[in-house]
Amino acid sequence: MNYYSTRDRSLSVPFHNAIFQGPAPDGGLFMPDRIPHVSSDFIHHIESKSIIDIGYEIIHPFTSMPPADLHAIIEQSFIFKAPLVEIGHGLRFLELFHGPTLAFKDFGARFMAQTMAYFRSAHEEINILVATSGDTGGAVASAFSGLEGFKVYILFPKGKISALQQKQLTTWDTNIQAIEVDGTFDECQRLVKTAFNDRNLRANKNFGSANSINIARLLPQMIYYFEAYRQADHKADLQIIVPSGNFGNLTAGLMAKKMGLPLSRFIAATNSNDIFPFYLETGDYHPRVSRETLSNAMDVGDPSNFVRIKELYHGQDEGSTWNNIKSEILPHVVSDQSTLDNIHKVWSEFGYLMDPHTAVAYDATKNYPGNNIIVSTAHWAKFLSTINRAIGEDIPEIPESLSSLNNKEEKYLSIDSKFDSFRQIIS
Ligand SMILES: *Cc1c(COP(=O)(O)O)cnc(C)c1O
């Protein structure tokens, strides 16, 4: 299968080429030529399948890999579960935080790292550049750590990520170089973009992108929607609530539905960065500078995957595209105060702790009762100060994988936000 640019259908490259690029050369995003269908037999027998079987079945039509090789990559990538947990009163969470960095980004990052390692030519060293506002950096660092032939540079904005998130970037002894930038996340992203466009740099080195628009991060995220369906007791009229920022997670869900997974609809839940809900309600798309909220991994003012969603629901004109999209996706917007209240309420009623992103999704169950699955994107322990604000001092013990980071020494470089400072490090 080939991947075309959302800006120009004739710009089309094979899978093994698309995965090393961020955006397409013309600035569009890569999309698969077509969305293949799974057989009804597969759906019918899904309860007897493992996450590895499901992963193979879903992904293989999108790649050109020999079956045994793809199977091995999937086994290496999905070494953790995606349980559907019912806490009572019909509240069900699809827990996507059982990977090494306790956030759903492990699914995408691990598969991307494994496929890039598979397609790398033996003599090449690849420099991965990635800017992070929180969870991406940790997942990418963990996924590439120790992989031969890769050097990973992770830029994070000084003082703007949680202490534990920072530990997840800065405590590697391996091929991972964390860089603290005295600036905002947007400035980190600009440094990465500038590097990709710098011909002199590229003349001597190979660069690869690992940000959330990479197609190798998107595809594996379809798998857990099938996993959710497999585990659901009641499979009719399922509504999936997705806490969203850049909308990669939701886009993967829409693709799973297009492949034939029988889901009824999606609810796009956002914090006050409500650009997409506003589009659903009015048909107007107005990107903005992002606002800071408690669910900071979703503080996105111009969601990059919006163009992919439009591709999936493409109509004859803008109006019919909008109609197609809003027939399957419903909007929900949540304030920081409600986010805190929700964490408190679910904790005191059910003894279940939600992280702030999951709490945004939970909020939608009030407006949209029904056969809901709430997508839970991170473990609460990554956001201790918010949890503290929501429930007070009496916080349960945090998982070993996080508490053990406290004893590790942090190593990182610090730079200002000028490109020259960054270039000196990577050239
Ligand atoms: C990245 C992230 C999101 C947003 O996912 P998108 O695919 O960008 O919409 C939500 N929750 C958490 C915890 C995240 O890290």
Side-chain angles (χ1 to χ4, degrees):
M1 179 169 324
N2 270 19
Y3 291 79
Y4 68 90
S5 164
T6 50
R7 293 212 180 142
D8 177 4
R9 253 202 183 253
S10 69
L11 202 169
S12 165
V13 301
F15 179 73
H16 64 261
N17 191 318
I19 61 169
F20 287 105
Q21 303 182 40
D26 64 354
L29 300 197
F30 285 118
M31 279 294 276
D33 268 347
R34 62 195 169 81
I35 308 287
H37 252 258
V38 291
S39 68
S40 53
D41 200 52
F42 173 75
I43 296 293
H44 203 68
H45 293 110
I46 198 163
E47 289 193 4
S48 65
K49 315 256 179 205
S50 71
I51 192 166
I52 307 295
D53 298 338
I54 291 177
Y56 179 78
E57 182 77 18
I58 306 308
I59 308 257
H60 85 85
F62 288 96
T63 77
S64 45
M65 277 185 235
D69 296 354
L70 178 61
H71 213 272
I73 286 177
I74 288 174
E75 279 187 341
Q76 282 285 321
S77 307
F78 307 117
I79 51 173
F80 45 88
K81 296 205 162 18
L84 186 63
V85 173
E86 169 138 18
I87 63 166
H89 291 211
L91 284 172
R92 279 178 304 181
F93 294 87
L94 180 66
E95 293 187 346
L96 301 180
F97 53 73
H98 295 279
T101 70
L102 307 187
F104 84 99
K105 291 191 169 72
D106 284 325
F107 281 92
R110 290 183 68 81
F111 181 79
M112 174 179 65
Q114 294 295 325
T115 47
M116 281 186 176
Y118 177 82
F119 285 112
R120 179 183 74 92
S121 337
H123 57 278
E124 274 179 353
E125 186 179 66
I126 296 176
N127 298 278
I128 302 286
L129 309 181
V130 61
T132 186
S133 59
D135 286 334
T136 293
V140 168
S142 162
F144 280 97
S145 168
L147 269 192
E148 198 188 323
F150 290 90
K151 174 94 197 184
V152 181
Y153 297 91
I154 300 180
L155 292 85
F156 64 97
K158 181 175 179 177
K160 296 209 171 58
I161 65 177
S162 83
L164 277 171
Q165 284 175 329
Q166 180 162 329
K167 288 260 179 195
Q168 288 184 323
L169 306 178
T170 58
T171 53
W172 300 93
D173 279 327
T174 52
N175 51 334
I176 313 293
Q177 176 65 62
I179 304 172
E180 177 193 67
V181 176
D182 194 357
T184 60
F185 169 63
D186 289 340
E187 287 172 298
C188 295
Q189 243 178 344
R190 188 154 355 107
L191 291 176
V192 169
K193 266 193 196 150
T194 310
F196 277 119
N197 292 329
D198 189 313
R199 286 195 188 183
N200 293 334
L201 267 177
R202 301 201 75 145
N204 305 317
K205 290 205 158 190
N206 295 305
F207 290 102
S209 165
N211 76 13
S212 70
I213 58 181
N214 193 306
I215 196 77
R217 277 180 61 175
L218 193 63
L219 297 175
Q221 294 188 73
M222 292 188 293
I223 297 172
Y224 49 72
Y225 291 96
F226 285 84
E227 260 297 285
Y229 179 83
R230 180 183 73 74
Q231 294 172 73
D233 286 338
H234 305 289
K235 295 191 185 338
D237 211 25
L238 278 169
Q239 298 190 137
I240 315 289
I241 311 175
V242 187
S244 295
N246 245 328
F247 285 79
N249 203 356
L250 182 71
T251 301
L254 300 171
M255 285 170 62
K257 183 166 179 349
K258 266 221 147 140
M259 288 189 82
L261 184 65
L263 305 173
S264 282
R265 66 195 70 80
F266 290 85
I267 297 159
T270 70
N271 56 34
S272 60
N273 293 284
D274 59 352
I275 292 83
F276 188 74
F278 184 83
Y279 167 79
L280 291 177
E281 269 156 15
T282 64
D284 292 326
Y285 184 79
H286 292 302
R288 282 200 302 259
V289 175
S290 63
R291 297 178 182 157
E292 279 187 36
T293 74
L294 295 176
S295 44
N296 65 338
M298 312 198 303
D299 294 350
V300 180
D302 187 5
S304 38
N305 285 290
F306 177 63
V307 291
R308 284 197 169 120
I309 296 176
K310 281 176 73 171
E311 270 317 281
L312 288 170
Y313 289 93
H314 196 68
Q316 288 157 338
D317 53 33
E318 289 287 329
S320 56
T321 301
W322 174 51
N323 274 318
N324 295 343
I325 291 176
K326 69 187 180 133
S327 70
E328 295 200 351
I329 313 175
L330 303 169
H332 190 72
V333 182
V334 185
S335 69
D336 272 355
Q337 189 54 52
S338 300
T339 303
L340 291 169
D341 293 347
N342 289 335
I343 294 172
H344 179 82
K345 181 172 188 290
V346 171
W347 172 242
S348 50
E349 282 180 24
F350 301 96
Y352 184 82
L353 259 181
M354 301 183 293
D355 95 286
H357 307 81
T358 307
V360 166
Y362 162 83
D363 200 79
T365 60
K366 302 172 195 165
N367 288 30
Y368 303 105
N371 191 11
N372 283 317
I373 289 179
I374 302 161
V375 173
S376 179
T377 46
H379 193 287
W380 57 265
K382 296 187 87 169
F383 304 95
L384 283 178
S385 63
T386 302
I387 298 298
N388 191 336
R389 272 177 73 182
I391 69 166
E393 292 297 323
D394 209 6
I395 295 174
E397 212 169 304
I398 69 172
E400 219 301 289
S401 60
L402 287 183
S403 57
S404 65
L405 288 175
N406 284 324
N407 309 324
K408 289 197 184 157
E409 192 196 341
E410 291 195 37
K411 285 189 213 127
Y412 55 88
L413 300 171
S414 296
I415 60 171
D416 57 25
S417 58
K418 295 199 187 75
F419 180 63
D420 217 39
S421 315
F422 182 44
R423 186 177 44 206
Q424 282 180 18
I425 296 173
I426 56 176
S427 50

